[in-house]
Amino acid sequence: MSLEWFHRMENAVRISLPDLCESFDEFEILFDTNTTTYNPEFIFSIQTVDDIEDFCIISFDPTNQEFLSFYYHEDLDIQSKVLFRDADEILGYVHATFHEYIGDIDEDDVLEEDVDELDEYLDDEMYEDIADGEEFQSTEYVGDDLDELKETIEWVSNDKHLHIEDEERDQYSIHLRLGRDTETGDGVLYRHTIMKHHEEDIEDEMIFYFKQDEASYIADLFNEFIGDNHISH
């Protein structure tokens, strides 16, 4: 699990951050990294009189080699995972979250454009990529009306509930269920997760569809993963 990209991105962000926004001059903006966690982090903070307050945390997944953060999407009323492809996307996201944090959105016309761009990125790129299958051969629905989707699902397994606590003391409550789409015959994996991260509950609900011919290949992949990691239950 290489951190080469993490360090290259850190250098690019650190160079560009001071010139990102004129409003930064009015605050003491701190940029720190934490590589002691399983998912190393970029931590952006504001120095106040009494304390240091984090306003944006971006994590790096060394296994999948991707940068990500969590964003509450008001229109969809869900906590979304946002993926970043380069330093410009990270800087744009930091800029928008900074102004959201200080409550200066209405007074900064430039910021309003950034927030619009952020929402547009989340709506048009993140969800479109997932829904159109550009990154996944099967379909993963995140942010759709899952209650509507569930109406066409016939559940074929018992509910599976498990509680996991990782090395960083993050806690996961996971609910899994297997079903079949009655309209298409596709297999369905339902997953509902509540993750306690930095004393904050992050809820995620997804439905993953797969073709019947894919099932044996997916099972093989799971078995390989279990074997490689010597997982037992």
Side-chain angles (χ1 to χ4, degrees):
M1 294 188 294
S2 172
L3 294 182
E4 179 187 356
W5 191 27
F6 178 85
H7 293 304
R8 285 194 287 115
M9 190 74 81
E10 175 192 354
N11 184 57
V13 170
R14 201 174 291 280
I15 290 172
S16 302
L17 189 64
D19 300 324
L20 181 61
C21 175
E22 292 182 0
S23 297
F24 278 17
D25 296 337
E26 303 173 15
F27 300 87
E28 185 174 354
I29 305 300
L30 306 178
F31 173 36
D32 297 307
T33 62
N34 182 3
T35 57
T36 64
T37 60
Y38 181 79
N39 289 331
E41 297 173 330
F42 291 162
I43 304 171
F44 300 87
S45 311
I46 295 176
Q47 176 73 62
T48 65
V49 175
D50 301 320
D51 200 2
I52 296 176
E53 301 178 3
D54 300 341
F55 66 86
C56 182
I57 295 177
I58 294 176
S59 301
F60 178 68
D61 181 348
T63 302
N64 297 310
Q65 291 289 298
E66 60 186 20
F67 287 89
L68 58 102
S69 188
F70 293 97
Y71 171 80
Y72 177 70
H73 198 295
E74 292 185 359
D75 293 337
L76 298 176
D77 191 27
I78 61 171
Q79 191 87 2
S80 306
K81 182 172 79 171
V82 187
L83 299 179
F84 305 100
R85 294 170 295 190
D86 54 37
D88 288 341
E89 289 186 354
I90 287 179
L91 290 166
Y93 183 79
V94 170
H95 187 196
T97 54
F98 165 74
H99 282 284
E100 285 184 319
Y101 186 82
I102 65 173
D104 195 28
I105 295 179
D106 293 335
E107 299 177 7
D108 193 329
D109 293 336
V110 175
L111 166 69
E112 290 178 354
E113 294 176 3
D114 286 339
V115 173
D116 289 342
E117 287 175 5
L118 176 60
D119 286 336
E120 182 179 346
Y121 167 69
L122 291 172
D123 293 337
D124 295 342
E125 294 194 20
M126 175 182 166
Y127 295 121
E128 184 180 20
D129 285 350
I130 293 174
D132 290 346
E134 294 178 2
E135 297 182 279
F136 304 98
Q137 291 183 350
S138 297
T139 306
E140 178 183 356
Y141 288 90
V142 180
D144 289 283
D145 188 342
L146 296 186
D147 289 334
E148 253 183 56
L149 296 174
K150 291 176 190 175
E151 292 177 1
T152 63
I153 297 174
E154 175 189 2
W155 301 109
V156 299
S157 75
N158 296 325
D159 292 351
K160 304 292 184 182
H161 296 274
L162 61 154
H163 180 80
I164 300 172
E165 183 172 314
D166 63 18
E167 296 177 357
E168 305 305 323
R169 311 295 291 180
D170 287 338
Q171 297 180 7
Y172 301 80
S173 296
I174 302 173
H175 171 206
L176 299 170
R177 205 174 187 189
L178 191 65
R180 180 186 296 107
D181 190 309
T182 57
E183 294 183 351
T184 65
D186 291 344
V188 177
L189 176 64
Y190 170 79
R191 184 176 188 263
H192 178 256
T193 307
I194 298 177
M195 180 180 72
K196 193 171 187 65
H197 179 72
H198 292 296
E199 299 184 354
E200 177 185 1
D201 286 342
I202 301 172
E203 186 172 357
D204 180 59
E205 187 177 31
M206 60 152 280
I207 292 179
F208 176 81
Y209 288 83
F210 57 92
K211 298 297 183 184
Q212 183 174 348
D213 292 342
E214 292 181 276
S216 61
Y217 293 93
I218 294 172
D220 288 343
L221 292 173
F222 281 135
N223 288 330
E224 287 179 16
F225 179 80
I226 292 171
D228 290 344
N229 293 277
H230 306 290
I231 297 174
S232 61
H233 62 277

